[in-house]
């Protein structure tokens, strides 16, 4: 089954979270998900909102060029809207973000007006639960300028299943960057991005989902890593692909390093303070 929704304006966060927090979803019904497509034309960007986001993620925002990951903030609203659709029988809150790939075809600027399209597709039952992709595309006039694919998991606990700890990549870790993450980072990023998933806000809320402490947003981790490499990325078209590994709890000390790789690319990783446990692994492939 397929659904298409054309919006006249971007949905407000208040209306979305009213439906997300108070809407009743019984849980996954065992069926693969329908294809749901949502689009919105004539979307503009607020300079103040971008500045707030850049500050939280450590981008150097010049007031003109958007951070490479910023458009995910707008895309997220359409993703959240998709999960208020009656065809989705489980809640948005508590889902696990497994992977995100962003392709930036050129720098985007504050004065541009965009068309945003987002589609739910490729659902598949796995040993861990139900995985699916949210595919997003952003257009400026008739030009495709940015796209992303986010892979999510609706986890289903199965008896006898054992989780293996992920291994670190073969990256030189002699002198990594060191970052300190405050306990309030989740709330600051939620305010800047609109992603108010309860596991990121307060320990009393995250405990509802089995976590004793609050977790860092996966997309903050990705944005912060990209910000650390902004000088090398500059205005170059690129594809940035990351996999989210072990949960990152706040407050925390973390380490980051990146290396040049073959075929005009880079590899990078975000680890714990001792450099032993990976929280995020990623690669950048420059296009042309």
């Amino acid at each position: 089954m397929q659904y298409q929704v054309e919006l006249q304006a971007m949905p407000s966060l208040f209306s979305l979270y009213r439906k997300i927090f108070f809407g009743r979803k019984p849980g996954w019904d065992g069926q693969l998900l329908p294809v749901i497509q949502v689009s919105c034309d004539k979307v503009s960007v607020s300079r103040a909102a971008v500045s707030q986001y850049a500050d939280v993620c450590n981008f150097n925002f010049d007031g003109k060029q958007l951070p490479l990951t910023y458009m995910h903030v707008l895309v997220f609203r359409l993703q959240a809207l998709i999960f208020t659709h009656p065809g989705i029988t489980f809640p948005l809150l508590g889902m696990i973000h497994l992977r995100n790939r962003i392709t930036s075809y050129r720098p985007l600027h504050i004065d541009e007006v965009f068309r945003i399209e987002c589609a739910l597709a490729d659902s598949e039952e796995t040993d861990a639960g139900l995985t699916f992709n949210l595919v997003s595309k952003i257009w400026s006039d008739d030009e495709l300028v940015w796209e992303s694919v986010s892979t999510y998991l609706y986890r289903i606990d199965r008896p006898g299943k054992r989780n293996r700890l992920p291994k670190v990549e073969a990256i030189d870790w002699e002198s990594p960057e060191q970052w300190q993450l405050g306990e309030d980072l989740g709330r600051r990023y939620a305010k800047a991005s609109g992603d108010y998933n309860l596991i990121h806000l307060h320990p009393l809320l995250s405990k509802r989902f089995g976590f004793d402490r609050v977790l860092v947003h996966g997309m903050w981790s990705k944005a912060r890593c990209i910000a650390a490499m902004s000088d090398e990325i500059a205005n170059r078209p690129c594809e940035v692909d990351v996999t989210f590994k072990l949960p990152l709890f706040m407050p925390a000390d973390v380490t980051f390093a990146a290396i040049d790789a073959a075929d005009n690319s880079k590899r990078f990783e975000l680890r714990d303070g001792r450099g032993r446990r990976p929280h995020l692994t990623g690669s950048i492939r420059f296009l042309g």
Side-chain angles (χ1 to χ4, degrees):
M1 191 171 293
Q2 183 167 325
Y3 303 92
Q4 290 186 319
V5 180
E6 180 76 32
L7 302 175
Q8 299 302 311
M10 290 290 282
S12 73
L13 287 175
F14 176 78
S15 65
L16 283 174
Y17 279 103
R18 182 176 58 185
K19 294 178 181 178
I20 291 168
F21 287 136
F22 299 108
R24 294 186 177 181
K25 298 275 189 178
W28 184 43
D29 59 6
Q31 303 297 313
L32 296 182
L33 304 180
V35 175
I36 303 174
Q37 299 175 325
V38 180
S39 59
C40 187
D41 214 348
K42 299 180 180 178
V43 179
S44 57
V45 177
S46 160
R47 181 174 279 102
V50 176
S51 180
Q52 182 182 28
Y53 174 89
D55 181 63
V56 174
C57 300
N58 212 50
F59 284 103
N60 183 18
F61 177 49
D62 62 3
K64 299 177 182 179
Q65 183 172 317
L66 304 181
L68 190 150
T69 50
Y70 181 75
M71 299 310 285
H72 181 81
V73 171
L74 302 180
V75 163
F76 175 77
R77 294 197 184 198
L78 298 193
Q79 293 179 349
L81 180 65
I82 285 174
F83 278 85
T84 66
H85 192 281
I88 308 299
T89 60
F90 54 87
L92 172 68
L93 299 176
M95 284 195 307
I96 299 172
H97 200 174
L98 299 178
R99 183 178 175 183
N100 175 266
R101 183 177 73 247
I102 289 175
T103 307
S104 173
Y105 295 104
R106 66 162 174 80
L108 307 183
H109 297 93
I110 196 76
D111 56 355
E112 292 189 75
V113 178
F114 303 102
R115 174 177 173 81
I116 303 177
E117 301 173 354
C118 186
L120 169 65
D122 305 321
S123 62
E124 178 184 11
E125 186 175 359
T126 68
D127 290 341
L130 181 71
T131 62
F132 52 90
N133 288 333
L134 288 166
V135 181
S136 305
K137 297 184 178 183
I138 295 183
W139 305 77
S140 180
D141 294 326
D142 294 326
E143 179 188 10
L144 178 64
V145 294
W146 188 97
E147 58 184 324
S148 75
V149 179
S150 283
T151 303
Y152 287 90
L153 168 69
Y154 177 73
R155 186 169 55 189
I156 300 171
D157 292 327
R158 303 185 191 275
K161 183 178 181 299
R162 297 178 62 185
N163 294 321
R164 295 181 179 179
L165 290 176
K167 297 180 180 180
V168 298
E169 296 289 323
I171 296 177
D172 178 19
W173 220 257
E174 290 299 318
S175 55
E177 293 187 27
Q178 299 189 13
W179 306 334
Q180 292 184 325
L181 313 184
E183 187 271 337
D184 66 338
L185 175 59
R187 294 186 292 275
R188 292 174 58 221
Y189 183 79
K191 188 175 181 180
S193 68
D195 184 351
Y196 284 91
N197 194 329
L198 301 179
I199 62 175
H200 305 302
L201 302 182
H202 193 279
L204 293 177
L205 300 175
S206 62
K207 284 181 180 179
R208 293 180 52 188
F209 299 94
F211 301 108
D212 290 333
R213 291 189 289 161
V214 288
L215 281 74
V216 172
H217 292 75
M219 288 305 295
W220 177 88
S221 298
K222 179 171 185 174
R224 181 64 182 87
C225 291
I226 292 175
M229 299 180 287
S230 288
D231 288 344
E232 296 173 83
I233 297 172
N235 296 331
R236 302 165 72 183
C238 63
E239 176 185 274
V240 187
D241 196 353
V242 304
T243 300
F244 304 109
K245 299 290 189 175
L246 293 172
L248 176 51
F249 297 100
M250 298 174 283
D253 293 331
V254 295
T255 51
F256 166 83
I259 61 171
D260 293 327
D263 302 325
N264 198 29
S265 65
K266 296 183 71 70
R267 292 192 295 120
F268 59 93
E269 195 161 67
L270 184 68
R271 300 181 186 174
D272 69 339
R274 295 183 178 182
R276 297 175 181 174
R277 296 160 61 89
H279 296 295
L280 174 153
T281 61
S283 64
I284 300 177
R285 182 172 64 90
F286 294 105
L287 308 177

